[in-house]
Amino acid sequence: MNSNELIALKRKESEKVKEQYGFPKKNKAIGLIHIEDTALLKGVLEGLEVLPVNFFVLSSEKLSKLPKNVEVLSTLDIKGEAIDFVVCDDCEGNLPDLLKKWVAPVVPRDHHLATLLSEFNPIKNEGNAFLFENTTKWDIFYGIARYLENFKFPFDNKNLVKNVFEI
């Protein structure tokens, strides 16, 4: 499967998921948030409403007052192809599977898979992730913003997906 086919498949699966969960259609990207630290997760959730993204949050916690663009799942029961990026503090079990589905990681620089990941540089078309220094809500939000800035440019996003596919 070439990168054009991968992008088309991701777009098709994304539309199905938006319909199934009643997500706003104007939001193009779908992100997965998998943060184990509940206090950190709640801090990150505060800022998600203002982003033009639909989010799945993987959590066993009861989370209240969620915006329209956020859905909480206790298990990852959607196709990985529908997800554009994943934000996690550890996500030990899910990340390798998501990488196989061309999902761009937004993870801490000291993540256990850091030897496979490098900061995406759209000018050089190198790298396969967006890395953040500290595991704070602000660093995570900045990582998401950097991913979204890249997502706006189809050529750059296609190169990122291709680089993730090659991991």
Side-chain angles (χ1 to χ4, degrees):
M1 187 177 291
N2 68 36
S3 57
N4 289 332
E5 293 169 329
L6 293 174
I7 299 290
L9 175 63
K10 288 184 84 54
R11 212 173 294 125
K12 180 181 170 187
E13 292 301 325
S14 175
E15 292 304 316
K16 286 181 190 176
V17 166
K18 287 177 192 175
E19 186 72 31
Q20 180 181 356
Y21 287 92
F23 279 142
K25 295 203 185 285
K26 66 179 170 88
N27 294 347
K28 302 295 184 204
I30 295 179
L32 173 68
I33 307 287
H34 186 188
I35 297 175
E36 299 290 334
D37 180 333
T38 304
L40 178 61
L41 174 59
K42 288 178 180 178
V44 170
L45 285 174
E46 292 173 7
L48 299 184
E49 184 174 18
V50 300
L51 295 174
V53 180
N54 296 313
F55 290 98
F56 287 106
V57 175
L58 198 54
S59 177
S60 58
E61 294 286 323
K62 283 279 191 188
L63 302 168
S64 59
K65 295 183 180 180
L66 296 172
K68 297 186 285 196
N69 64 332
V70 176
E71 182 75 32
V72 177
L73 303 173
S74 58
T75 59
L76 188 57
D77 59 354
I78 59 169
K79 282 188 164 185
E81 290 89 347
I83 300 169
D84 296 299
F85 67 101
V86 60
V87 178
C88 59
D89 52 358
D90 186 23
C91 60
E92 208 168 299
N94 287 330
L95 189 57
D97 292 335
L98 290 169
L99 291 174
K100 291 176 188 172
K101 301 294 183 182
W102 326 294
V103 176
V106 179
V107 297
R109 192 168 297 284
D110 63 353
H111 191 273
H112 67 277
L113 293 177
T115 58
L116 298 174
L117 304 175
S118 61
E119 187 73 30
F120 182 67
N121 181 337
I123 294 170
K124 295 181 179 181
N125 295 324
E126 297 174 342
N128 51 22
F130 290 90
L131 307 173
F132 50 88
E133 292 299 323
N134 303 301
T135 309
T136 68
K137 67 182 180 180
W138 301 114
D139 285 88
I140 292 170
F141 195 82
Y142 179 57
I144 295 170
R146 288 182 7 250
Y147 171 80
L148 292 176
E149 184 64 24
N150 180 75
F151 187 82
K152 288 190 321 186
F153 299 98
F155 180 78
D156 292 341
N157 190 55
K158 183 177 174 181
N159 285 327
L160 173 61
V161 171
K162 184 179 77 115
N163 293 353
V164 170
F165 180 69
E166 292 173 354
I167 294 177

